[in-house]
Amino acid sequence: MYAQRVQDATSDTILHIEGLTVSFDGFKALNDLDFFMDVGELRVIIGPNGAGKTTLLDTITGRVRPTEGRVFFNGVSDVATLSENAIVNLGIGRKFQTPTIYVNHTVFENLALSLPKDKGVIRTIMSMLGSHDEDRIAEIMNTIGLADKGDDPAGLLSHGEKQWLEIGMLIAQDPQLLLLDEPVAGMTDYETQGTVDLIHSLADAHSILVIEHDMEFVEQIARKVTVLHEG
Ligand code: ADP
Ligand code: MG
């Protein structure tokens, strides 16, 4: 199905969700949800386990289809009818709770593989990297606090560092909207603080939607909070 362009009316709104209901065998994980986010906004959604937070991200990213309702992204309507790949290509990047990094490759290589270009084997990608790409990767390593670990195998990173690498891999794809599902789960206090700083530094150039139930983290990060309760 083709996305339809909507003119101007939503130009300051990056994400607009209208009347979203998601039923699993009659159980409503989300029930007639309306939600807006502005371009450049950093928003946190909190809510208890089972409130439908992950289902919301699943719907925005095309993994779960709405039973009713629509998702508008950046003037494109009915995003939720597109394929997961098409949604990524529109500029929505999502971080899962478990990182999907290549543990046998270095931090640098993981980021190189995430740059938006033709997919191929790693040797090809590495030999195709221009100096502009290398600068971009160095910049991302700085941002995610792994500037000294470019040559380390990703599998040797700490739990928190792996999460930062995955955020870096998302950034490499240059998304406009970043979706982060419980980004500090399992982190030490030190790693949690690093993640708060990282998210704040990314918030200048990206719209960010963070899902979280750790209240302490929410207080540190939040500018605007939405509470999701029973869908
Ligand atoms: P949260 O992320 O807020 O903890 P979820 O979105 O994961 O909540 O889940 C909301 C509710 O929907 C839960 O009751 C969960 O069991 C149910 N649910 C989520 N995904 C599925 C699925 N694929 N099939 C059936 N039920 C699901
Ligand atoms: Mg969840």
Side-chain angles (χ1 to χ4, degrees):
M1 185 175 290
Y2 292 97
Q4 196 187 333
R5 293 261 161 197
V6 176
Q7 293 305 319
D8 288 325
T10 58
S11 58
D12 288 330
T13 306
I14 191 156
L15 184 65
H16 169 191
I17 290 168
E18 197 179 79
L20 182 63
T21 296
V22 174
S23 301
F24 297 113
D25 296 325
F27 169 76
K28 288 182 176 173
L30 293 172
N31 187 6
D32 197 18
L33 177 74
D34 292 317
F35 180 83
F36 291 87
M37 236 183 98
D38 285 340
V39 173
E41 190 176 330
L42 169 56
R43 177 75 66 92
V44 179
I45 294 185
I46 61 169
N49 274 333
K53 305 184 297 299
T54 298
T55 302
L56 175 60
L57 297 195
D58 285 343
T59 310
I60 296 170
T61 54
R63 170 171 278 228
V64 161
R65 299 298 174 191
T67 310
E68 283 177 67
R70 292 203 293 174
V71 177
F72 301 80
F73 172 72
N74 236 356
V76 177
S77 71
D78 254 350
V79 165
T81 62
L82 304 176
S83 72
E84 289 186 66
N85 253 335
I87 293 171
V88 169
N89 291 336
L90 280 179
I92 300 182
R94 179 204 190 155
K95 189 193 168 311
F96 288 91
Q97 280 168 274
T98 319
T100 49
I101 56 176
Y102 304 98
V103 292
N104 294 323
H105 288 298
T106 66
V107 167
F108 185 95
E109 289 166 344
N110 268 276
L111 292 167
L113 282 165
S114 302
L115 291 175
K117 54 178 56 164
D118 296 336
K119 298 256 186 292
V121 292
I122 187 135
R123 182 158 292 124
T124 311
I125 294 252
M126 296 312 281
S127 59
M128 274 168 32
L129 280 185
S131 65
H132 173 80
D133 294 325
E134 292 187 21
D135 291 349
R136 176 79 182 123
I137 293 170
E139 184 190 328
I140 294 171
M141 289 198 299
N142 254 324
T143 304
I144 60 177
L146 297 180
D148 299 335
K149 304 216 169 183
D151 296 330
D152 289 11
L156 294 186
L157 298 175
S158 73
H159 170 76
E161 289 168 340
K162 285 177 184 154
Q163 309 286 327
W164 298 339
L165 174 56
E166 203 190 16
I167 292 175
M169 291 164 71
L170 283 180
I171 298 305
Q173 297 162 28
D174 217 11
Q176 298 169 61
L177 174 64
L178 271 176
L179 307 174
L180 306 175
D181 198 349
E182 300 194 16
V184 299
M187 283 193 178
T188 63
D189 288 350
Y190 172 79
E191 290 169 337
T192 297
Q193 186 53 54
T195 305
V196 169
D197 296 343
L198 172 56
I199 291 173
H200 281 150
S201 77
L202 296 175
D204 295 332
H206 304 83
S207 310
I208 307 181
L209 176 55
V210 186
I211 301 270
E212 192 49 68
H213 68 236
D214 175 345
M215 273 310 294
E216 204 174 313
F217 172 78
V218 172
E219 278 164 20
Q220 281 175 289
I221 195 172
R223 295 178 187 171
K224 197 164 174 183
V225 178
T226 300
V227 179
L228 189 62
H229 178 61
E230 293 180 358

